[in-house]
Amino acid sequence: MVNKKIVENDILDAFGFFCPIPLIKTKERIDRMKEGEILKVISDDEVILEDMTNWCKASGNEFIGYERRTDGLHLYVRKRGVSK
């Protein structure tokens, strides 16, 4: 969960897509961002919580956390180094 307001640099709407599409789209978007920038991913796929944390660990990016909202899960990822 996120305890404070996070200001994202970009938003990816992955609502309606299921694994692995949200992760593929996240990687594509993160690759275009600058190091330190934050991407917010909106999804209705519950599996993305586990998938995103694992992808962040494997790729070297930082999973900041998530919020559960009425319009889905809002996940926050900070670009770190080179995305794999």
Short mmCIF file of all heavy atoms in Angstrom, two decimals, residues 19 23 26 46-65 75-77 83-84:
data_model
loop_
_atom_site.label_atom_id
_atom_site.label_comp_id
_atom_site.label_asym_id
_atom_site.label_seq_id
_atom_site.Cartn_x
_atom_site.Cartn_y
_atom_site.Cartn_z
N CYS A 19 -2.17 -10.72 -17.67
CA CYS A 19 -0.78 -11.15 -17.78
C CYS A 19 -0.59 -11.97 -19.06
O CYS A 19 -1.42 -12.83 -19.35
CB CYS A 19 -0.41 -11.96 -16.55
SG CYS A 19 1.33 -12.38 -16.50
N LEU A 23 2.59 -6.24 -18.08
CA LEU A 23 4.04 -6.18 -17.85
C LEU A 23 4.79 -5.80 -19.12
O LEU A 23 5.76 -5.04 -19.07
CB LEU A 23 4.56 -7.50 -17.31
CG LEU A 23 4.11 -7.86 -15.91
CD1 LEU A 23 4.69 -9.20 -15.49
CD2 LEU A 23 4.49 -6.78 -14.91
N THR A 26 4.25 -2.17 -19.50
CA THR A 26 5.02 -1.45 -18.47
C THR A 26 6.48 -1.34 -18.90
O THR A 26 7.07 -0.26 -18.82
CB THR A 26 4.92 -2.18 -17.11
OG1 THR A 26 3.56 -2.15 -16.68
CG2 THR A 26 5.81 -1.52 -16.07
N GLU A 46 -5.77 -8.72 -10.66
CA GLU A 46 -5.22 -8.92 -9.31
C GLU A 46 -3.84 -9.56 -9.32
O GLU A 46 -3.03 -9.31 -8.44
CB GLU A 46 -6.17 -9.77 -8.46
CG GLU A 46 -7.45 -9.07 -8.08
CD GLU A 46 -7.27 -8.00 -7.02
OE1 GLU A 46 -6.38 -8.14 -6.16
OE2 GLU A 46 -8.02 -7.02 -7.06
N VAL A 47 -3.57 -10.37 -10.32
CA VAL A 47 -2.29 -11.06 -10.41
C VAL A 47 -1.14 -10.07 -10.60
O VAL A 47 0.00 -10.36 -10.28
CB VAL A 47 -2.33 -12.10 -11.56
CG1 VAL A 47 -0.99 -12.80 -11.74
CG2 VAL A 47 -3.42 -13.12 -11.30
N ILE A 48 -1.44 -8.88 -11.10
CA ILE A 48 -0.39 -7.91 -11.37
C ILE A 48 0.37 -7.50 -10.10
O ILE A 48 1.53 -7.11 -10.18
CB ILE A 48 -0.94 -6.66 -12.10
CG1 ILE A 48 0.23 -5.90 -12.75
CG2 ILE A 48 -1.73 -5.77 -11.16
CD1 ILE A 48 -0.19 -4.83 -13.71
N LEU A 49 -0.26 -7.61 -8.95
CA LEU A 49 0.44 -7.26 -7.71
C LEU A 49 1.69 -8.12 -7.52
O LEU A 49 2.77 -7.60 -7.23
CB LEU A 49 -0.48 -7.40 -6.50
CG LEU A 49 -1.60 -6.38 -6.40
CD1 LEU A 49 -2.55 -6.74 -5.26
CD2 LEU A 49 -1.03 -4.99 -6.21
N GLU A 50 1.55 -9.40 -7.70
CA GLU A 50 2.70 -10.30 -7.58
C GLU A 50 3.62 -10.17 -8.79
O GLU A 50 4.85 -10.11 -8.65
CB GLU A 50 2.24 -11.74 -7.43
CG GLU A 50 3.38 -12.71 -7.23
CD GLU A 50 2.92 -14.14 -7.00
OE1 GLU A 50 1.73 -14.35 -6.71
OE2 GLU A 50 3.77 -15.03 -7.12
N ASP A 51 3.03 -10.13 -9.97
CA ASP A 51 3.83 -10.04 -11.20
C ASP A 51 4.69 -8.78 -11.24
O ASP A 51 5.86 -8.82 -11.62
CB ASP A 51 2.94 -10.10 -12.44
CG ASP A 51 2.33 -11.46 -12.67
OD1 ASP A 51 2.77 -12.44 -12.02
OD2 ASP A 51 1.41 -11.56 -13.50
N MET A 52 4.11 -7.65 -10.85
CA MET A 52 4.84 -6.38 -10.93
C MET A 52 5.98 -6.35 -9.92
O MET A 52 7.08 -5.88 -10.26
CB MET A 52 3.90 -5.20 -10.70
CG MET A 52 4.54 -3.85 -10.94
SD MET A 52 5.02 -3.57 -12.66
CE MET A 52 3.42 -3.23 -13.39
N THR A 53 5.76 -6.83 -8.71
CA THR A 53 6.85 -6.83 -7.73
C THR A 53 7.99 -7.74 -8.20
O THR A 53 9.16 -7.38 -8.07
CB THR A 53 6.37 -7.25 -6.33
OG1 THR A 53 5.71 -8.51 -6.41
CG2 THR A 53 5.40 -6.22 -5.75
N ASN A 54 7.65 -8.90 -8.76
CA ASN A 54 8.68 -9.80 -9.27
C ASN A 54 9.41 -9.19 -10.47
O ASN A 54 10.64 -9.31 -10.58
CB ASN A 54 8.07 -11.15 -9.66
CG ASN A 54 7.63 -11.95 -8.46
OD1 ASN A 54 8.15 -11.78 -7.36
ND2 ASN A 54 6.65 -12.81 -8.65
N TRP A 55 8.67 -8.56 -11.37
CA TRP A 55 9.30 -7.93 -12.53
C TRP A 55 10.25 -6.81 -12.10
O TRP A 55 11.35 -6.69 -12.63
CB TRP A 55 8.26 -7.39 -13.52
CG TRP A 55 8.91 -6.72 -14.68
CD1 TRP A 55 9.46 -7.32 -15.78
CD2 TRP A 55 9.10 -5.31 -14.86
NE1 TRP A 55 9.99 -6.37 -16.62
CE2 TRP A 55 9.78 -5.13 -16.07
CE3 TRP A 55 8.77 -4.19 -14.10
CZ2 TRP A 55 10.12 -3.87 -16.56
CZ3 TRP A 55 9.13 -2.94 -14.58
CH2 TRP A 55 9.79 -2.78 -15.80
N CYS A 56 9.82 -6.01 -11.14
CA CYS A 56 10.67 -4.92 -10.66
C CYS A 56 11.97 -5.46 -10.07
O CYS A 56 13.05 -4.93 -10.34
CB CYS A 56 9.93 -4.05 -9.65
SG CYS A 56 8.71 -2.96 -10.40
N LYS A 57 11.89 -6.51 -9.28
CA LYS A 57 13.09 -7.12 -8.70
C LYS A 57 14.01 -7.63 -9.81
O LYS A 57 15.22 -7.43 -9.77
CB LYS A 57 12.73 -8.27 -7.76
CG LYS A 57 12.14 -7.82 -6.46
CD LYS A 57 11.72 -9.02 -5.62
CE LYS A 57 10.94 -8.58 -4.41
NZ LYS A 57 10.41 -9.71 -3.65
N ALA A 58 13.44 -8.29 -10.80
CA ALA A 58 14.24 -8.88 -11.88
C ALA A 58 14.83 -7.82 -12.80
O ALA A 58 15.93 -7.99 -13.33
CB ALA A 58 13.38 -9.85 -12.69
N SER A 59 14.12 -6.71 -12.98
CA SER A 59 14.55 -5.69 -13.94
C SER A 59 15.38 -4.58 -13.30
O SER A 59 15.95 -3.75 -14.01
CB SER A 59 13.33 -5.06 -14.63
OG SER A 59 12.56 -4.32 -13.69
N GLY A 60 15.41 -4.54 -11.97
CA GLY A 60 16.18 -3.50 -11.30
C GLY A 60 15.39 -2.22 -11.07
O GLY A 60 15.95 -1.22 -10.61
N ASN A 61 14.10 -2.22 -11.38
CA ASN A 61 13.26 -1.06 -11.11
C ASN A 61 12.68 -1.16 -9.70
O ASN A 61 12.72 -2.22 -9.09
CB ASN A 61 12.16 -0.95 -12.17
CG ASN A 61 12.73 -0.64 -13.53
OD1 ASN A 61 13.25 0.44 -13.76
ND2 ASN A 61 12.69 -1.61 -14.43
N GLU A 62 12.13 -0.05 -9.21
CA GLU A 62 11.62 -0.01 -7.84
C GLU A 62 10.10 -0.03 -7.82
O GLU A 62 9.45 0.85 -8.38
CB GLU A 62 12.12 1.25 -7.14
CG GLU A 62 11.60 1.42 -5.74
CD GLU A 62 11.98 2.76 -5.12
OE1 GLU A 62 12.70 3.54 -5.76
OE2 GLU A 62 11.52 3.01 -4.00
N PHE A 63 9.54 -1.05 -7.15
CA PHE A 63 8.10 -1.08 -6.93
C PHE A 63 7.83 -0.25 -5.69
O PHE A 63 8.20 -0.63 -4.58
CB PHE A 63 7.62 -2.52 -6.75
CG PHE A 63 6.13 -2.62 -6.53
CD1 PHE A 63 5.25 -2.37 -7.56
CD2 PHE A 63 5.62 -2.94 -5.29
CE1 PHE A 63 3.89 -2.45 -7.36
CE2 PHE A 63 4.25 -3.03 -5.07
CZ PHE A 63 3.39 -2.78 -6.12
N ILE A 64 7.19 0.90 -5.87
CA ILE A 64 6.94 1.81 -4.76
C ILE A 64 5.76 1.35 -3.92
O ILE A 64 5.75 1.47 -2.70
CB ILE A 64 6.71 3.25 -5.28
CG1 ILE A 64 7.97 3.73 -6.02
CG2 ILE A 64 6.34 4.18 -4.14
CD1 ILE A 64 7.76 5.04 -6.76
N GLY A 65 4.74 0.81 -4.58
CA GLY A 65 3.56 0.36 -3.88
C GLY A 65 2.33 0.46 -4.75
O GLY A 65 2.43 0.68 -5.97
N LEU A 75 -0.69 1.01 -9.44
CA LEU A 75 0.64 0.56 -9.04
C LEU A 75 1.66 1.61 -9.45
O LEU A 75 1.53 2.23 -10.51
CB LEU A 75 0.98 -0.77 -9.70
CG LEU A 75 0.05 -1.93 -9.35
CD1 LEU A 75 -1.06 -2.04 -10.36
CD2 LEU A 75 0.82 -3.21 -9.29
N TYR A 76 2.69 1.79 -8.63
CA TYR A 76 3.69 2.82 -8.88
C TYR A 76 5.08 2.18 -9.00
O TYR A 76 5.50 1.43 -8.11
CB TYR A 76 3.69 3.84 -7.74
CG TYR A 76 2.37 4.56 -7.65
CD1 TYR A 76 1.35 4.06 -6.83
CD2 TYR A 76 2.12 5.71 -8.37
CE1 TYR A 76 0.13 4.70 -6.73
CE2 TYR A 76 0.89 6.35 -8.30
CZ TYR A 76 -0.10 5.85 -7.48
OH TYR A 76 -1.31 6.48 -7.40
N VAL A 77 5.75 2.49 -10.11
CA VAL A 77 7.07 1.95 -10.40
C VAL A 77 8.03 3.10 -10.71
O VAL A 77 7.71 3.95 -11.55
CB VAL A 77 7.01 0.98 -11.61
CG1 VAL A 77 8.40 0.46 -11.94
CG2 VAL A 77 6.05 -0.16 -11.35
N SER A 83 16.43 -1.12 -17.62
CA SER A 83 15.33 -2.09 -17.51
C SER A 83 15.67 -3.30 -18.37
O SER A 83 16.03 -3.17 -19.53
CB SER A 83 14.04 -1.44 -17.97
OG SER A 83 12.98 -2.34 -17.89
N LYS A 84 15.54 -4.51 -17.79
CA LYS A 84 15.84 -5.76 -18.51
C LYS A 84 14.58 -6.35 -19.10
O LYS A 84 13.52 -6.23 -18.60
CB LYS A 84 16.48 -6.77 -17.56
CG LYS A 84 17.78 -6.28 -17.01
CD LYS A 84 18.31 -7.28 -16.03
CE LYS A 84 19.56 -6.72 -15.36
NZ LYS A 84 20.05 -7.56 -14.31
#
